[in-house]
Every structure is written in C-alpha cells, then in structure tokens.
Amino acid sequence: MPSYTAPVKDLQFILHEVLKASKSDVPGYEELEPDFTNAVLEEAGKLASEVLTPLNLVGDQQGCRLENGVVRTPEGFKEAFDQMREGGWPGLDMPEEFGGQGMPYVLGTAVGELFSSANQAFTMYQGLTHGAASAILAHGTEAQKATYLPNMVSCEWTGTMNLTEPHCGTDLGLMRTKAEPQEDGTYKISGQKIFISAGEHDMSSNIIHLVLAKIPGGPEGIKGVSLFIVPKFLVNEDGSLGARNGVSCGKLEEKMGIHGNATCVMNYDEATGYLLGTEHKGMRAMFTMMNEARIGVGMQGLAQAEIAYQNAVIYAKDRLQGRDVTGIKNLDGPADPLIVHPDIRRMLMDQKSFTEGARAFMLWGASMIDRSHRADDAAAEGLVSLLTPVIKGFCTDQGYDMTVQAQQVYGGHGYIEEWGMSQYTRDARIAMIYEGANGVQALDLVGRKLAADGGKHVMAFFELVKTFIKDNKDADEDFARDYLEPLKAASKDLQAAGMFFMQNGMKNPNAALAGSTDFMHLFGHVCLGLMWSQMALAAKAALAEGASDTAFYETKLITGRYYMARRLPATALHLKRIESGADPVMALDAANF
C-alpha cells in the first residue's frame, strides 16, 4: 500500500524562511511563530498519514452507494470525519465568533495540502463546506450567518455548490432551474443539478446546498441568475432540524476517480430556498466560493503530485533494474536500483522541482488572500485575482502530468491497481476539469484578468519580478547565472506574449484566445521561477548563517537549479506558439475534422 509523509519541514521553510510569515505586518500573522505552526502541521500530518492515507484505497475500491435515497460513504469515512470534527480542523481558519479558530488562510492552505495528498476524495467534503460557509459569511444576512455558520464551521452540517445542469456547464446563462418567489419571502426551487460533489452522504446531520437558479421575470442569461441557500432539512427558529426539504439525490455518477466522494445528480422539487445576497447577482456571491475553490483545486494538483512523487522515489530506490552505465553501484546485487538511471532521475527531478515550487506558489497566493482580507490591501486582492486562474490551471495541468511521470517510474507496476499509483493519476484528472475547466481558466486569464483595471495588476507582477532581479543583481555570480538570468529571460517571454495580445487581440480576438493556454502555462512557469529564486536566496542565507541541516538547503539549491535550467525554458516554446497566432489553430474547416 502506498505511504505518505507530510512535508512539514518544507512547509516550515516556505512559511518562515521565504515568506517570513511571523514577521509580516498582516494582522494575525504574529501568531504564526515557527513552534506553533510546526505543532499544527505535525498534528495534521499525523492525522493525514495514519488515518486518511489508509482510507484512500478503501474509498477508491468501495466508492459510495445510493440506497433508498441515502448515500453510504466508504467504510471508515464517517469515523474519520468525526475525528476531523473533534480536532477542530474544518474551522481552523474560520472566524472565532462562529466556532472557528481564526487562523490565517495561509495556515489552512498548508494543512489542506496534507489532507488532500492523503485522501483527496475525503477532504472534498470539508473543503466544499468551507467554501459554502465563506460565501454565506461574505453575502449572508446576520440571521443567515447565525443560522448556518456555527454548524458548517464545525462540519456538523456540510455544504455544496450547485451550478451545472445537464444542458449547461460553463455557460450558466442557459440554466433552467427556477426560483418562484413566495409570500413569506422564501422561494420554491425546482430543477436538476448534476456533478454535485458531496451532494448527499451519511457523515453530517444536514447538508446546506448553495443553488444557482433564475427568478422568473429577471434579466436574460447570466445576469438573471440568483443564489439560494437550500438546506436538506429545514432549520427551525430554535436551530433544531425540521422537515425534510424537497431536495434529493437521484443518481450517483460513476467516475474515473475520486470514488470516495459522492458526485450526485440533485433534484429540486419545489424545495424551500432562501436568497443569498441580492436578486440576479448570484454569480457575484457564487464567485466568493468559486475563487476559493479554484485555489483549493490548484492545491489538489500539487497534493496528488506530492504523494505520487513520494512513492515513486521509494520505488526507484528499491527496485533493481539494469546497471549504471558509468559503473556498477550495487556490487552485491544482480542489478542497480532504478534511481541510478538518468531518465528516471529526470522524471523524479521534474516531479520534485514542480511540487516544491508549486507549494511555494500556493502559499504565496494564500498569503496574498490574507493580506487582501485582513489588511484590506487592494493591490494584493488584484494580484491574487490575476493569479487565481494560473494557480488553478497551471498547477492542475502540471500536477496531473507529474502523477503520470510517477506512474512511469514504476513501469508496468504503475499500471497495476495493487500498487496504488493509478489512483493518483485518476484522482488528479478531475482537478483539470471541475471549478472551471482549465481552458476556461486560460480564457479568463487572457480575456478578463490581463485587462482588469487597465492592466495594472499584470504590470504590478512584471514590476515585482523586475524589482526582485534588480534588488539581487549584486548577489554572488552563481545565483545571478543560475537563477536571475533564466528568470529575466522567462519574464521577457511573458511580457512579449502580453504585448502580442495587446497588438493583435482587438483586431483578431482568436489570435489571443488560441494562445491562452500557452500563456497560462508561460505565466505559471515564470511564477515558479520566481518562487525558486526566492527559495534559493533563503537557502543560501541559511547556509551562510551556518545552518545545521546543510543537506536540506543544498538539496533545495540543486533542485532549484534543475527547474531553472530544465523546466523554465519552456517559456520560449509557449511564446513561439502564441506568436503563431490563430491561423494554425483555426485554418481547418469544421467539416474536415
């Protein structure tokens, strides 16, 4: 059975030596002292390794079952969910007034990676609840917050988001679910939603669905969509549970992966719903949940890549195959371990350099969310909004690729279920699709985010990179050669791609849209190049100060140099594709495909 060890030391390195969290001026960060965060991460890592990881295979093999309208989760899930609740983990970064612990989002993100690596399907139940609670926190009335949040923060009640319908996915303006106003101020919700993760299950006493629907007579298309709170059981004035609402699970989807999560077809038959936010402004409220979810999904790409990598390393060190071409290494054995071979090393270094770079990128993004919310910093909010589609799209595309590479290390055993590696590939695959397919993320990045506020956020990113390079140009020659020069070249590629869109996008929009996925990946590589450069500086500083764990910091520098030399040059390829324009993509007539 695959194993998992929480990367606590690496998380601590990023939090305290790269981001310098406890020294930040963001309110609440003064609590993030190294000893405190280490204790939290160690405890979360123990739960992840000892409880959630063994259940990952159970969930994959057993899946969920729909019996008489009730979904039964895999064996052991309910008991593990009880442990999660008892430990207060779902409310780690939620407000104290509703029973949370009020910790910064960055710490919640770090803990979330550990749980997602260990068991993605299980962790989705609380992750979706967190997002739904955040939407109610941002847009709900005081009465709605008091009614729903205490039980959702604790995960006594769980939450969902209901967008997709059988005939519409990305184009939500086509939805047919109706919300008929009632005299008492409630609405009767009728329609069908599909692909609803955690839509029905046996691990909580109530499920609070957030449902997009149209109020008759409202504007056409997406401008006529509103968001509603639709509980599985109605809630009485005293907080107790009342009658069963008109919502039910009609079917469980059979999926490629995340078998332990109940992906439901949800039927709403004049279910009682309560308007969340303003009429016809449902997308604004839903995006509070979706933006958080998109960053969480980006983290899932990293998380699956991490556990796949850990097991691939163990296998590569243990499996004997062939001899090292430079000379026998295992003198007493019939063959050398796989890890001596350069192509195995290439795959492992691809994985290692991605996971560590993406981890820094994810926590940097989470710290910007904290800065925007806790310090009311509009610049941080603008920058993280720009980077959200990059975090989601790039990290899940690359994360999936890394699980495939981990499978490849195993050879034929990677394709056999008993080794467990195929589950990571299958589970990672959904992250490229849900919460906005990655092609849509790329379109959002190029079509909306680049030009937002006159382009000032992307210009701020360019300035951030430029300032970093300028401030460190007098560092040692090795750092300049190995990090700053590749980062500068990659940043120029990103700027050139942006310039191409500016010059060609208006007269030929397809020229920009045809290059959008390449731009998202180009942007992602530059972000990881920046992260690796910052981590290299921190590692060099630690070594200069006489750090005791020299192997950790030297390994960090070697891994960073690999990324800068072998992965970052992909920006030139992406730029070349972008500059080819729309013609190669659009030239073939539809009838000739």
Side-chain angles (χ1 to χ4, degrees):
M1 179 184 292
S3 62
Y4 175 66
T5 301
V8 173
K9 186 172 181 62
D10 203 47
L11 286 163
Q12 285 284 90
F13 167 71
I14 296 166
L15 286 172
H16 300 292
E17 297 179 65
V18 179
L19 298 178
K20 302 187 185 328
S22 61
K23 298 176 182 176
S24 169
D25 61 351
V26 174
Y29 270 46
E30 67 279 358
E31 295 183 51
L32 301 181
E33 289 292 338
D35 286 348
F36 171 72
T37 59
N38 191 72
V40 171
L41 294 172
E42 287 283 359
E43 196 63 29
K46 184 178 178 182
L47 180 61
S49 300
E50 297 179 6
V51 177
L52 302 188
T53 300
L55 289 176
N56 199 37
L57 181 61
V58 174
D60 188 53
Q61 292 179 338
Q62 292 185 6
C64 297
R65 308 185 317 277
L66 178 60
E67 298 176 347
N68 301 317
V70 177
V71 171
R72 304 297 180 189
T73 51
E75 186 179 332
F77 269 43
K78 193 175 190 306
E79 292 77 9
F81 206 67
D82 288 341
Q83 279 188 253
M84 190 71 68
R85 273 195 290 251
E86 289 164 8
W89 294 108
L92 182 67
D93 58 357
M94 295 300 282
E96 293 179 80
E97 64 181 298
F98 299 112
Q101 298 177 49
M103 289 291 105
Y105 181 71
V106 72
L107 185 58
T109 300
V111 168
E113 183 203 328
L114 308 186
F115 293 157
S116 286
S117 276
N119 196 324
Q120 178 176 321
F122 175 91
T123 303
M124 287 171 63
Y125 290 97
Q126 69 193 57
L128 287 158
T129 305
H130 190 287
S134 295
I136 295 172
L137 182 65
H139 302 282
T141 64
E142 292 306 312
Q144 287 173 338
K145 294 175 189 178
T147 298
Y148 299 106
L149 288 183
N151 282 313
M152 293 180 75
V153 166
S154 68
C155 268
E156 290 296 327
W157 299 349
T158 56
T160 71
M161 56 194 298
N162 287 237
L163 293 82
T164 307
E165 299 183 8
H167 58 282
C168 72
T170 301
D171 191 354
L172 293 172
L174 298 175
M175 73 173 55
R176 297 172 185 158
T177 301
K178 293 189 305 181
E180 294 280 357
Q182 305 298 299
E183 290 184 2
D184 62 358
T186 65
Y187 294 77
K188 291 298 183 186
I189 311 298
S190 298
Q192 186 179 77
K193 299 289 185 176
I194 63 170
F195 305 156
I196 309 307
S197 300
E200 170 63 32
H201 59 84
D202 57 1
M203 299 195 298
S204 64
S205 58
N206 203 3
I207 302 174
I208 311 304
H209 302 286
L210 297 192
V211 183
L212 285 177
K214 287 185 173 181
I215 300 171
E220 290 296 315
I222 199 70
K223 293 182 179 179
V225 171
S226 301
L227 185 61
F228 299 89
I229 299 171
V230 186
K232 175 181 173 180
F233 290 98
L234 298 175
V235 182
N236 297 320
E237 287 189 11
D238 64 359
S240 63
L241 296 184
R244 175 71 187 255
N245 206 354
V247 53
S248 61
C249 173
K251 177 188 174 185
L252 281 181
E253 302 288 2
E254 294 185 21
K255 314 183 295 289
M256 176 179 173
I258 56 168
H259 295 155
N261 195 272
T263 303
C264 303
V265 174
M266 300 301 297
N267 296 319
Y268 293 87
D269 301 302
E270 295 193 340
T272 299
Y274 307 90
L275 182 67
L276 179 60
T278 308
E279 281 189 4
H280 315 311
K281 302 293 183 183
M283 289 309 298
R284 182 171 62 183
M286 183 59 89
F287 267 114
T288 299
M289 186 173 183
M290 288 183 69
N291 283 335
E292 177 180 311
R294 285 171 176 171
I295 290 174
V297 170
M299 181 260 289
Q300 288 177 351
L302 155 65
Q304 294 308 295
E306 171 65 26
I307 190 168
Y309 164 73
Q310 287 190 18
N311 286 279
V313 169
I314 293 170
Y315 187 82
K317 290 180 177 180
D318 184 61
R319 175 76 167 176
L320 302 181
Q321 289 285 284
R323 288 297 190 185
D324 188 338
V325 295
T326 64
I328 294 173
K329 295 295 187 291
N330 181 23
L331 297 175
D332 297 326
D336 289 328
L338 278 173
I339 202 164
V340 305
H341 303 301
D343 199 57
I344 296 292
R345 291 288 190 100
R346 173 190 63 81
M347 289 188 284
L348 292 175
M349 288 300 290
D350 278 357
Q351 295 163 58
K352 182 175 175 62
S353 64
F354 166 73
T355 57
E356 293 180 18
R359 180 172 297 118
F361 185 27
M362 199 70 57
L363 293 179
W364 179 49
S367 73
M368 282 190 283
I369 290 176
D370 279 329
R371 181 170 289 280
S372 68
H373 291 171
R374 290 171 171 259
D376 198 23
D377 189 323
E381 183 175 357
L383 188 55
V384 78
S385 178
L386 169 72
L387 293 176
T388 293
V390 183
I391 291 172
K392 196 278 184 185
F394 177 77
C395 289
T396 58
D397 277 351
Q398 292 286 310
Y400 175 78
D401 287 348
M402 296 308 149
T403 65
V404 172
Q405 292 220 42
Q407 254 190 315
Q408 192 73 13
V409 170
Y410 279 70
H413 291 302
Y415 200 66
I416 303 300
E417 291 294 339
E418 71 176 275
W419 289 86
M421 298 305 290
S422 71
Q423 183 184 353
Y424 303 132
T425 301
R426 289 185 285 103
D427 286 356
R429 186 64 184 88
I430 186 56
M432 303 159 72
I433 299 172
Y434 60 15
E435 305 306 340
N438 285 357
V440 176
Q441 300 300 318
L443 295 180
D444 178 48
L445 174 64
V446 170
R448 295 177 61 244
K449 299 297 175 65
L450 285 185
D453 296 323
K456 76 175 186 179
H457 304 303
V458 72
M459 295 306 295
F461 178 82
F462 290 146
E463 187 61 30
L464 188 154
V465 176
K466 181 180 177 182
T467 300
F468 175 82
I469 293 171
K470 181 180 177 181
D471 288 349
N472 295 286
K473 64 181 175 60
D474 294 327
D476 64 80
E477 291 183 12
D478 288 349
F479 181 73
R481 181 192 65 242
D482 296 338
Y483 290 92
L484 295 185
E485 289 178 14
L487 177 60
K488 186 175 182 180
S491 181
K492 285 184 176 180
D493 287 342
L494 183 63
Q495 293 178 62
M499 186 62 67
F500 176 84
F501 291 154
M502 288 178 60
Q503 293 172 346
N504 297 276
M506 291 297 290
K507 58 186 178 184
N508 182 10
N510 279 344
L513 300 184
S516 58
T517 291
D518 279 292
F519 186 80
M520 180 178 73
H521 278 260
L522 200 169
F523 209 149
H525 278 299
V526 173
C527 288
L528 260 64
L530 177 61
M531 294 299 99
W532 270 115
S533 298
Q534 292 179 345
M535 287 191 286
L537 269 186
K540 281 179 169 287
L543 289 169
E545 292 167 7
S548 58
D549 192 356
T550 57
F552 174 84
Y553 296 105
E554 288 170 353
T555 299
K556 190 65 69 175
L557 290 170
I558 292 169
T559 308
R561 282 196 292 270
Y562 179 90
Y563 193 90
M564 305 304 279
R566 296 276 306 210
R567 303 288 293 168
L568 192 57
T571 60
L573 171 64
H574 290 302
L575 175 60
K576 195 73 173 176
R577 289 173 175 168
I578 289 166
E579 291 178 337
S580 73
D583 288 348
V585 176
M586 305 302 294
L588 188 62
D589 189 84
N592 295 326
F593 275 87

